[in-house]
Every structure is written in C-alpha cells, then in structure tokens.
Amino acid sequence: MSKKYSFLITAGPTREFIDPVRFISNPSTGKMGYALAQAAIEKGHCATLISGPTSLTPPECVEIVKIISARDLCKAVLERIHDYDILIMAAAVADYTPKSFTPKKIKKSDADMLLELERTADILKEVGKTGFSGIKVGFAAETDHLEQYALSKLKDKRLHIIVANDITRQGAGFGADTNAVSIFSDRNDRNDIHLKPKREVAAYIIDYIVEYIASARPN
Ligand code: CTP
C-alpha cells in the first residue's frame, strides 16, 4: 500500500480591499485547488483547503479555512504549515495591495485618481524561511514564455515542483473545467498533461507528487 500524506492546498483568488465596496482581485475560481483537494482525499490522503472567495462547495472530508486577502492567506499558511507533508500553492495571490484601506466609501470627483499599492509577501518564500522540510509545489499561470518563467519560479521560490499553464490556451484559462499543464521538477524533468477535465489533471498531479517523494526515499 502506498504511503499516505497530509496536503495543505491553497485555492482561489485573494481580494485586496480599497474601501468597503471595492477590491483588487483576479478571475481565479478555485476549481484547480478544489479538484486537487478532492483528488488527494479520493487517493486516501488528508487535505486542508485554504480558500479565497469562491462559489464552490468544498469536497467532503476536507477541512476548509476561508481567507480574503493575501495577508490572511500568508498568516493561515504559516500558522499550519508544520502540520503537513506537502504544500500546494494553487491560489492566485495578489502581488500588490492598496497602501491604505479607506474605511468609508470613497466618493468620486472629476479628477483622476492614483491608487498607491505595496507588495504583498511572497508566501512560498516565507514558507522557505520557516525551515519547513516538506514538499513545496507552486503553480505558474503564464501568458507567454511558459517554460522560462516556470523554471525561474521553481528556482527562485526553491520549489520541488511547479505546475505551469498557459492561460491564453482555449480550455486552460481561469474558470475553465479543463486544464492543460506542464509539470517541472527540480530534478530537471518535464511532463506535459494535455487538455483534460481538471479532476483528471488533479489526480495526475497528486500521483506525480507521491511518486516524486517515493523516488527520493532510499529503498
Ligand atoms: N505565490 C505566493 N505568494 C505570492 C504570489 C504568488 O506564494 N505573493 C505563489 C502562487 O500561489 C503560485 C506561485 O507563487 O504557486 C507563482 O505565482 P504567480 O502569480 O504565477 O507568480 P509570481 O511569483 O506572483 O510572479 P509574476 O506575477 O511576476 O508572474
């Protein structure tokens, strides 16, 4: 019987509020992250989902932690990471957040408006600083130079595995029920998964991670 692991999986978008009625976000729906949690459970592992705002129903038997902003997500991951074997960062995390939050609705004027943004923390890099000894899996949603950008994120964020997808491809963008991905690892390999339902892509990724761990263990 193959070994069972605990997965911490992030999913969905983050929202960076400007005032009580406006935020900066992205079109992520969380489908890939939720499919990964479902696939992990179906294969007998345990999974916790840390999810940004989505309309999805969490899979049964998955613990769910709801977050809104990149800052919340970072805190939720760092608080829990040491209880898990594997982190999969499938969430589409905002890289910038408004420098200040205006507690009352901002009223318009005829003048243009300049919004000052500041960087959010890179969560995968923050996890790296904690001494987490498990497996770190990132995602890279790209519009161009897929392999080049994915490999530079793999190295820069010190990941074991990165799952890259070309979001301009029909059926592989935000919100689709299908995906086509290329999986790269720090062992210099590449696996291309052609267009399939996200459920099947997720099952492949979970198997790939488990095999990656198994092939590193001495017999
Ligand atoms: N990520 C993260 N913390 C952030 C931004 C992204 O941990 N503040 C994670 C994502 O969840 C994903 C990986 O890093 O697993 C790559 O995210 P992506 O948005 O593709 O890349 P960025 O590092 O944000 O770089 P860029 O936006 O310039 O492509």
Side-chain angles (χ1 to χ4, degrees):
M1 216 177 71
S2 64
K3 198 166 178 307
K4 301 302 173 198
Y5 295 101
S6 53
F7 286 77
L8 184 62
I9 301 170
T10 71
T14 61
R15 287 182 179 172
E16 309 303 316
F17 274 85
I18 300 163
D19 72 7
V21 297
R22 301 177 180 96
F23 55 79
I24 300 170
S25 193
N26 59 69
S28 168
T29 56
K31 284 180 185 168
M32 197 62 237
Y34 278 57
L36 285 161
Q38 173 91 54
I41 293 293
E42 281 170 6
K43 290 172 187 292
H45 305 289
C46 56
T48 295
L49 254 179
I50 308 183
S51 174
T54 78
S55 56
L56 302 175
T57 308
E60 272 177 37
C61 306
V62 169
E63 187 195 340
I64 179 118
V65 178
K66 295 203 170 163
I67 58 91
I68 305 282
S69 67
R71 180 194 284 258
D72 299 340
L73 178 56
C74 189
K75 186 166 174 277
V77 169
L78 294 180
E79 273 171 6
R80 293 170 178 79
I81 188 64
H82 292 289
D83 297 332
Y84 292 84
D85 301 310
I86 297 153
L87 169 66
I88 308 182
M89 283 290 301
V93 190
D95 291 320
Y96 296 90
T97 191
K99 233 176 174 166
S100 59
F101 169 74
T102 308
K104 288 194 176 156
K105 185 183 173 192
I106 300 169
K107 288 293 172 189
K108 67 174 172 288
S109 73
D110 288 336
D112 290 344
M113 183 183 167
L114 203 62
L115 185 61
E116 259 201 288
L117 304 177
E118 63 186 14
R119 277 293 313 269
T120 56
D122 186 305
I123 301 170
L124 280 165
K125 286 190 183 170
E126 293 302 314
V127 168
K129 293 180 199 164
T130 67
F132 173 63
S133 59
I135 300 295
K136 284 182 288 175
V137 182
F139 267 73
E142 307 292 350
T143 55
D144 55 282
H145 298 89
L146 185 84
E147 176 160 356
Q148 182 192 329
Y149 289 145
L151 290 179
S152 92
K153 286 172 190 175
L154 180 78
K155 199 164 163 230
D156 188 42
K157 296 174 191 258
R158 295 171 181 267
L159 306 178
H160 299 91
I161 296 164
I162 192 150
V163 181
N165 69 321
D166 175 352
I167 52 168
T168 65
R169 245 191 90 170
Q170 182 98 35
F174 286 118
D177 287 319
T178 52
N179 206 354
V181 301
S182 298
I183 307 177
F184 301 90
S185 85
D186 61 354
R187 296 179 190 152
N188 294 322
D189 63 344
R190 173 183 179 143
N191 278 268
D192 294 319
I193 318 302
H194 300 292
L195 200 66
K196 286 186 193 344
K198 278 185 173 163
R199 187 173 36 82
E200 287 175 35
V201 176
Y204 186 97
I205 294 170
I206 297 295
D207 286 343
Y208 179 91
I209 296 168
V210 170
E211 276 166 34
Y212 174 96
I213 298 171
S215 61
R217 275 207 313 261
N219 289 321

